[in-house]
Amino acid sequence: MEGGLRLQGKYKRGEAGTPLISIITVVKNNPELSRTIQCIKAQTYRNIEHIIIDGASTDETLAIIKQNEALIDYWRSEADEGIYNAMNKGIKLAKGNIVGILNGGDTYEPQSCAVIAKAYLPGLHVYHSLTRFWKGNQCIEVQGGTVNQLPQSMISHPGSFINREVYEQFGGYDESYQCVADYDYFIKLSREKLVSFHFLEEILANFFVGGISYSKQSALETYRIQYKYGFINWKGYWFKRAVLQWLVKS
Protein backbone atom coordinates (compact mmCIF):
# COMPACT_ATOMS: atom_id res chain seq x y z
CA MET A 1 0.00 0.00 0.00
CA GLU A 2 1.35 3.43 -0.90
CA GLY A 3 0.34 7.05 -1.41
CA GLY A 4 1.41 10.66 -1.21
CA LEU A 5 2.05 13.64 -3.46
CA ARG A 6 4.47 11.80 -5.73
CA LEU A 7 1.69 9.52 -6.93
CA GLN A 8 -0.11 12.67 -8.03
CA GLY A 9 2.92 13.64 -10.12
CA LYS A 10 4.10 16.27 -7.62
CA TYR A 11 7.88 16.04 -7.21
CA LYS A 12 10.19 18.50 -5.48
CA ARG A 13 13.79 19.33 -6.37
CA GLY A 14 16.76 21.21 -5.03
CA GLU A 15 18.00 24.41 -6.61
CA ALA A 16 20.93 26.74 -6.03
CA GLY A 17 20.55 28.21 -2.56
CA THR A 18 17.60 25.99 -1.68
CA PRO A 19 18.72 22.36 -1.38
CA LEU A 20 15.99 19.77 -1.12
CA ILE A 21 15.91 18.10 2.31
CA SER A 22 14.43 14.61 2.48
CA ILE A 23 13.03 13.64 5.87
CA ILE A 24 12.50 9.90 6.32
CA THR A 25 10.17 8.74 9.07
CA VAL A 26 9.94 5.05 9.97
CA VAL A 27 7.02 4.02 12.12
CA LYS A 28 4.97 1.06 13.28
CA ASN A 29 1.93 1.25 15.55
CA ASN A 30 2.71 4.71 16.92
CA PRO A 31 -0.13 7.28 16.90
CA GLU A 32 2.39 9.93 18.01
CA LEU A 33 3.35 10.01 14.35
CA SER A 34 0.93 12.92 14.05
CA ARG A 35 3.25 15.24 15.99
CA THR A 36 6.12 14.26 13.69
CA ILE A 37 4.06 15.13 10.61
CA GLN A 38 3.04 18.45 12.17
CA CYS A 39 6.62 19.38 13.05
CA ILE A 40 7.60 18.97 9.40
CA LYS A 41 4.67 21.16 8.40
CA ALA A 42 5.86 23.80 10.92
CA GLN A 43 9.37 24.09 9.49
CA THR A 44 10.41 27.62 8.54
CA TYR A 45 12.32 26.15 5.58
CA ARG A 46 9.96 25.01 2.86
CA ASN A 47 11.93 22.87 0.37
CA ILE A 48 11.37 19.58 2.19
CA GLU A 49 10.05 16.20 1.11
CA HIS A 50 8.63 13.90 3.76
CA ILE A 51 8.79 10.14 3.21
CA ILE A 52 7.07 7.76 5.65
CA ILE A 53 7.85 4.05 5.77
CA ASP A 54 5.26 2.22 7.84
CA GLY A 55 5.85 -1.35 8.98
CA ALA A 56 2.31 -2.57 8.30
CA SER A 57 0.75 -0.92 11.34
CA THR A 58 -2.38 -2.53 12.75
CA ASP A 59 -3.59 0.39 14.88
CA GLU A 60 -4.67 3.93 13.90
CA THR A 61 -1.22 4.85 12.53
CA LEU A 62 -2.17 4.12 8.93
CA ALA A 63 -5.32 6.21 9.29
CA ILE A 64 -3.19 9.12 10.52
CA ILE A 65 -0.98 8.78 7.46
CA LYS A 66 -3.96 8.84 5.11
CA GLN A 67 -5.54 11.80 6.92
CA ASN A 68 -2.33 13.80 6.38
CA GLU A 69 -1.61 12.62 2.85
CA ALA A 70 -1.57 16.18 1.51
CA LEU A 71 1.50 16.82 3.71
CA ILE A 72 3.39 13.65 2.77
CA ASP A 73 5.40 13.35 -0.42
CA TYR A 74 5.46 9.57 -0.38
CA TRP A 75 4.38 6.86 2.03
CA ARG A 76 4.48 3.10 1.95
CA SER A 77 2.98 0.55 4.33
CA GLU A 78 4.27 -3.02 4.24
CA ALA A 79 5.96 -5.58 6.46
CA ASP A 80 9.68 -5.00 6.89
CA GLU A 81 12.69 -6.75 8.40
CA GLY A 82 13.37 -4.23 11.15
CA ILE A 83 13.91 -0.52 11.69
CA TYR A 84 17.09 -0.28 9.63
CA ASN A 85 15.55 -2.18 6.75
CA ALA A 86 12.80 0.46 6.80
CA MET A 87 15.36 3.29 6.94
CA ASN A 88 17.25 1.84 3.98
CA LYS A 89 14.01 1.68 1.99
CA GLY A 90 13.45 5.36 2.71
CA ILE A 91 17.01 6.31 1.78
CA LYS A 92 16.62 4.65 -1.62
CA LEU A 93 13.43 6.65 -2.20
CA ALA A 94 14.92 10.00 -1.16
CA LYS A 95 15.45 12.61 -3.88
CA GLY A 96 16.90 15.33 -1.65
CA ASN A 97 20.39 16.77 -1.52
CA ILE A 98 20.33 16.10 2.22
CA VAL A 99 18.67 13.25 4.14
CA GLY A 100 17.45 13.38 7.73
CA ILE A 101 15.90 10.47 9.63
CA LEU A 102 13.23 11.29 12.20
CA ASN A 103 11.39 8.36 13.71
CA GLY A 104 7.66 8.37 14.41
CA GLY A 105 6.88 10.44 17.49
CA ASP A 106 10.12 12.46 17.45
CA THR A 107 10.26 16.10 16.33
CA TYR A 108 12.45 18.86 14.97
CA GLU A 109 12.60 22.43 16.18
CA PRO A 110 10.84 24.80 13.72
CA GLN A 111 14.14 26.21 12.44
CA SER A 112 16.01 22.89 12.14
CA CYS A 113 15.82 22.42 8.38
CA ALA A 114 16.68 26.08 7.80
CA VAL A 115 19.86 25.62 9.86
CA ILE A 116 20.81 22.54 7.85
CA ALA A 117 20.06 24.20 4.51
CA LYS A 118 22.34 27.09 5.47
CA ALA A 119 25.14 24.68 6.45
CA TYR A 120 24.78 22.59 3.28
CA LEU A 121 27.82 21.92 1.12
CA PRO A 122 27.76 19.53 -1.87
CA GLY A 123 29.83 16.39 -1.37
CA LEU A 124 30.49 13.87 1.38
CA HIS A 125 29.30 15.70 4.47
CA VAL A 126 27.52 14.84 7.71
CA TYR A 127 25.85 17.55 9.83
CA HIS A 128 25.00 16.74 13.45
CA SER A 129 23.64 18.71 16.36
CA LEU A 130 22.19 18.56 19.87
CA THR A 131 19.02 16.68 20.79
CA ARG A 132 16.68 16.99 23.75
CA PHE A 133 15.72 13.67 25.33
CA TRP A 134 12.19 13.51 26.71
CA LYS A 135 10.52 11.08 29.08
CA GLY A 136 6.85 11.90 28.83
CA ASN A 137 6.54 15.67 29.23
CA GLN A 138 9.87 16.07 31.02
CA CYS A 139 13.17 16.87 29.31
CA ILE A 140 15.68 14.61 31.05
CA GLU A 141 18.88 15.62 29.22
CA VAL A 142 20.45 17.16 26.14
CA GLN A 143 22.81 14.96 24.15
CA GLY A 144 25.18 15.59 21.30
CA GLY A 145 28.81 16.35 20.64
CA THR A 146 31.66 16.03 18.20
CA VAL A 147 32.78 12.77 16.60
CA ASN A 148 35.42 12.51 19.34
CA GLN A 149 32.73 11.00 21.58
CA LEU A 150 32.11 8.02 19.28
CA PRO A 151 34.45 5.66 21.16
CA GLN A 152 32.13 6.07 24.18
CA SER A 153 28.70 6.71 22.68
CA MET A 154 26.67 7.61 19.62
CA ILE A 155 26.30 11.21 18.51
CA SER A 156 22.69 12.35 18.07
CA HIS A 157 21.04 10.45 15.21
CA PRO A 158 17.72 12.40 15.25
CA GLY A 159 19.76 15.61 15.11
CA SER A 160 21.90 14.40 12.19
CA PHE A 161 21.56 15.01 8.47
CA ILE A 162 23.65 13.37 5.76
CA ASN A 163 24.24 14.40 2.16
CA ARG A 164 22.73 11.89 -0.23
CA GLU A 165 26.16 11.42 -1.86
CA VAL A 166 27.35 9.74 1.33
CA TYR A 167 24.63 7.09 1.15
CA GLU A 168 25.27 6.65 -2.58
CA GLN A 169 28.98 5.99 -1.98
CA PHE A 170 28.90 4.02 1.27
CA GLY A 171 25.46 2.42 1.19
CA GLY A 172 22.92 2.33 3.99
CA TYR A 173 22.73 0.80 7.45
CA ASP A 174 23.90 -2.71 8.34
CA GLU A 175 20.65 -4.60 8.82
CA SER A 176 22.32 -7.34 10.87
CA TYR A 177 21.98 -4.95 13.83
CA GLN A 178 18.54 -4.63 15.37
CA CYS A 179 19.10 -1.55 17.52
CA VAL A 180 22.29 0.45 16.89
CA ALA A 181 23.24 0.17 13.22
CA ASP A 182 23.36 3.98 13.19
CA TYR A 183 26.22 3.85 15.74
CA ASP A 184 28.13 1.42 13.51
CA TYR A 185 27.45 3.57 10.44
CA PHE A 186 28.64 6.83 11.98
CA ILE A 187 31.85 5.21 13.24
CA LYS A 188 32.46 3.80 9.77
CA LEU A 189 31.95 7.22 8.20
CA SER A 190 34.18 8.92 10.78
CA ARG A 191 37.05 6.70 9.61
CA GLU A 192 36.64 7.72 5.98
CA LYS A 193 39.03 10.57 5.20
CA LEU A 194 36.78 11.89 2.45
CA VAL A 195 33.79 12.36 4.79
CA SER A 196 33.57 15.62 6.76
CA PHE A 197 31.58 15.97 9.99
CA HIS A 198 30.12 19.36 10.88
CA PHE A 199 28.95 19.80 14.48
CA LEU A 200 26.24 22.42 14.86
CA GLU A 201 26.07 23.38 18.53
CA GLU A 202 22.34 23.95 18.48
CA ILE A 203 19.31 21.90 19.55
CA LEU A 204 17.61 20.71 16.38
CA ALA A 205 15.71 17.57 17.45
CA ASN A 206 13.59 16.09 20.23
CA PHE A 207 13.80 12.38 20.99
CA PHE A 208 11.13 10.66 23.06
CA VAL A 209 12.66 7.89 25.15
CA GLY A 210 11.40 4.34 24.66
CA GLY A 211 11.58 1.39 22.33
CA ILE A 212 14.63 -0.58 21.27
CA SER A 213 17.13 2.23 21.94
CA TYR A 214 16.95 1.51 25.67
CA SER A 215 16.79 -2.29 25.53
CA LYS A 216 19.25 -4.95 26.66
CA GLN A 217 19.78 -5.84 23.00
CA SER A 218 20.78 -2.25 22.28
CA ALA A 219 23.44 -2.31 25.02
CA LEU A 220 24.81 -5.66 23.85
CA GLU A 221 25.08 -4.44 20.26
CA THR A 222 26.81 -1.27 21.45
CA TYR A 223 29.47 -3.31 23.26
CA ARG A 224 29.88 -5.49 20.18
CA ILE A 225 30.49 -2.43 18.01
CA GLN A 226 32.92 -0.89 20.50
CA TYR A 227 34.90 -4.14 20.46
CA LYS A 228 34.70 -4.36 16.66
CA TYR A 229 36.36 -0.96 16.26
CA GLY A 230 38.90 -1.45 19.06
CA PHE A 231 37.39 0.98 21.57
CA ILE A 232 37.36 -1.78 24.18
CA ASN A 233 39.41 -4.97 24.35
CA TRP A 234 38.16 -8.56 24.66
CA LYS A 235 38.22 -8.47 28.46
CA GLY A 236 36.38 -5.15 28.53
CA TYR A 237 33.75 -6.50 26.16
CA TRP A 238 33.00 -9.56 28.28
CA PHE A 239 33.11 -7.56 31.51
CA LYS A 240 30.48 -5.15 30.18
CA ARG A 241 28.32 -8.08 29.05
CA ALA A 242 28.62 -9.74 32.44
CA VAL A 243 27.70 -6.56 34.32
CA LEU A 244 24.67 -6.04 32.08
CA GLN A 245 23.50 -9.62 32.62
CA TRP A 246 23.85 -9.15 36.40
CA LEU A 247 21.92 -5.87 36.34
CA VAL A 248 19.10 -7.40 34.30
CA LYS A 249 18.76 -10.31 36.73
CA SER A 250 18.98 -8.20 39.91
Side-chain angles (χ1 to χ4, degrees), residues 188-207:
K188 181 175 74 172
L189 292 182
S190 73
R191 297 191 167 197
E192 295 289 344
K193 293 182 179 179
L194 295 176
V195 178
S196 298
F197 280 71
H198 305 270
F199 177 48
L200 307 172
E201 200 166 352
E202 184 171 349
I203 296 173
L204 297 186
N206 296 281
F207 175 80

Side-chain angles (χ1 to χ4, degrees), residues 54-182:
D54 174 64
S57 290
T58 55
D59 65 356
E60 63 264 43
T61 301
L62 190 56
I64 290 170
I65 292 172
K66 292 179 178 179
Q67 288 165 9
N68 290 279
E69 194 160 23
L71 301 174
I72 302 167
D73 292 87
Y74 180 79
W75 64 267
R76 177 185 296 174
S77 182
E78 62 185 10
D80 56 47
E81 298 175 12
I83 188 171
Y84 296 105
N85 176 251
M87 287 182 187
N88 286 338
K89 288 180 183 179
I91 290 166
K92 291 176 182 178
L93 290 164
K95 304 295 183 183
N97 307 97
I98 313 165
V99 179
I101 296 177
L102 190 68
N103 290 342
D106 297 337
T107 63
Y108 290 136
E109 294 295 298
Q111 80 285 359
S112 295
C113 289
V115 170
I116 296 302
K118 185 177 180 180
Y120 170 69
L121 295 168
L124 303 177
H125 299 286
V126 176
Y127 318 91
H128 57 110
S129 63
L130 301 173
T131 295
R132 290 190 193 91
F133 279 60
W134 295 83
K135 191 171 185 178
N137 294 323
Q138 181 180 4
C139 178
I140 56 176
E141 63 179 324
V142 175
Q143 287 189 15
T146 69
V147 291
N148 294 331
Q149 78 175 54
L150 283 173
Q152 290 78 41
S153 62
M154 173 61 177
I155 57 180
S156 167
H157 194 202
S160 298
F161 296 76
I162 299 178
N163 282 8
R164 198 176 76 233
E165 293 100 316
V166 174
Y167 287 119
E168 290 172 346
Q169 181 157 336
F170 298 103
Y173 298 96
D174 183 345
E175 296 176 21
S176 69
Y177 295 104
Q178 297 179 29
C179 309
V180 293
D182 48 348

